[in-house]
């Protein structure tokens, strides 16, 4: 597959996703989605206790870092297949006081379908706007679940098939050109997550952007 985030689109995406007002305008105009629930769902990150391990897949340029409280001491494992995104992530993380030197930040260049991490690594796994990027979302979900500790939380968002005709057309073109994976319906997303062992699932598939949360069973 072609990773569009490796080129100018990745830089553009990174600029607008960091500005909720702009992301809202672009989300509505291009995709017909309401992106505000995505930012709201990240608020749970601020509740993590010091010492918690966060696995952020794909981390992109670091939009989830915005939810950290000042001084919150977590260990953040940032995974992305694109080195430029990891570099942007690193710059943002350091500005928020997360550094590799202090053991608070690990940058991992990897494919989300084969994570180079041991089982049960993370207390919380973030999966924002990544599952629709890959041709095998089932493999990615299985890896996220494997790397979560039993009882650990999964938070994320992904495009789903319940969106507008325009969104389906754009993403359908992306599938054909290898820029994104297939669109799954919210019910299929639920089945993928449950099959991977994620329980207590809440999925809100409003306007083609599903916000989901759950816990690894066990
Ligand atoms: C739309 S961005 C989302 C990033 C971030 N979570 C956010 O919400 O802004 C998608 C990211 O997925 C990464 N990506 C695409 N395919 C990937 C793969 N197979 N494994 C890991 N990362 C991938 C891209 O490099 C890009 O940074």
């Amino acid at each position: 597959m072609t990773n569009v985030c490796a080129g100018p689109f990745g830089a553009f995406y990174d600029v607008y996703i960091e500005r909720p007002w702009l992301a809202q305008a672009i989300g509505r105009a291009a995709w017909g989605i309401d992106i505000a629930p995505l930012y709201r769902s990240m608020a749970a990150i601020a509740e993590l206790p010091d010492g918690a391990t966060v696995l952020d897949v794909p981390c992109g340029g670091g939009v989830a870092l915005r939810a950290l409280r000042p001084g919150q001491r977590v260990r953040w494992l940032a995974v992305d297949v694109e080195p430029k995104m990891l570099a942007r992530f690193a710059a943002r993380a350091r500005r928020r006081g997360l550094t590799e030197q202090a053991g608070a930040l690990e940058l991992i260049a990897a494919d989300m379908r084969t994570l180079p991490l041991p089982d049960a690594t993370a207390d919380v796994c973030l999966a924002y706007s990544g599952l629709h990027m890959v041709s095998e979302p089932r493999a990615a979900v299985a890896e996220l679940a494997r790397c979560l500790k039993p009882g650990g939380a999964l938070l994320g968002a992904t495009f789903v098939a319940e969106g507008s005709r325009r969104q389906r057309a754009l993403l359908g073109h992306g599938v054909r050109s290898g820029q994104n994976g297939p669109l799954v319906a919210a019910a299929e997303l639920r089945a993928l997550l449950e099959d991977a062992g994620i329980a207590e699932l809440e999925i809100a598939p409003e306007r083609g952007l599903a916000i989901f949360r759950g816990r690894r069973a066990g």
Side-chain angles (χ1 to χ4, degrees):
M1 287 184 69
T2 314
N3 184 9
V4 284
C5 295
F9 175 78
F12 175 60
Y13 171 82
D14 200 39
V15 166
Y16 80 69
I17 202 69
E18 282 296 328
R19 293 163 178 78
W21 61 272
L22 186 57
Q24 183 66 289
I26 290 174
R28 278 194 201 287
W31 307 106
I33 59 169
D34 176 9
I35 204 162
L38 177 147
Y39 295 103
R40 281 201 294 274
S41 95
M42 289 176 179
I45 296 166
E47 291 159 23
L48 292 172
D50 285 354
T53 297
V54 179
L55 173 58
D56 189 359
V57 185
C59 63
V63 67
L65 290 165
R66 66 193 308 107
L68 278 174
R69 276 178 286 116
Q72 198 176 352
R73 284 203 206 78
V74 292
R75 176 173 166 245
W76 202 292
L77 309 181
V79 178
D80 204 285
V81 78
E82 175 48 47
K84 283 182 201 150
M85 286 304 207
L86 284 171
R88 289 187 199 122
F89 185 96
R92 279 208 180 94
R94 287 174 197 132
R95 285 200 291 275
R96 287 181 180 266
L98 297 183
T99 65
E100 288 157 294
Q101 291 76 6
L105 173 64
E106 213 173 302
L107 301 167
I108 303 167
D111 191 298
M112 68 178 101
R113 293 162 291 188
T114 49
L115 294 175
L117 292 166
D119 296 354
T121 294
D123 297 288
V124 60
C125 181
L126 310 179
Y128 286 99
S129 306
L131 295 180
H132 58 252
M133 301 293 292
V134 290
S135 48
E136 302 89 9
R138 180 174 288 276
V141 165
E143 279 296 82
L144 299 178
R146 180 183 69 75
C147 293
L148 259 183
K149 293 178 186 172
L154 173 69
L155 303 172
T158 187
F159 285 147
V160 283
E162 282 82 354
S164 65
R165 191 183 300 178
R166 179 181 168 74
Q167 185 193 25
R168 287 198 303 276
L170 285 170
L171 292 169
H173 172 74
V175 173
R176 289 187 294 281
S177 57
Q179 293 181 348
N180 54 260
L183 263 190
V184 299
E188 292 170 78
L189 176 66
R190 174 175 290 279
L192 286 181
L193 292 166
E194 285 176 348
D195 289 353
I198 303 297
E200 300 176 37
L201 263 175
E202 292 170 32
I203 302 182
E206 287 167 44
R207 292 192 191 176
L209 180 70
I211 308 297
F212 55 87
R213 60 189 302 157
R215 273 187 194 286
R216 181 174 157 186

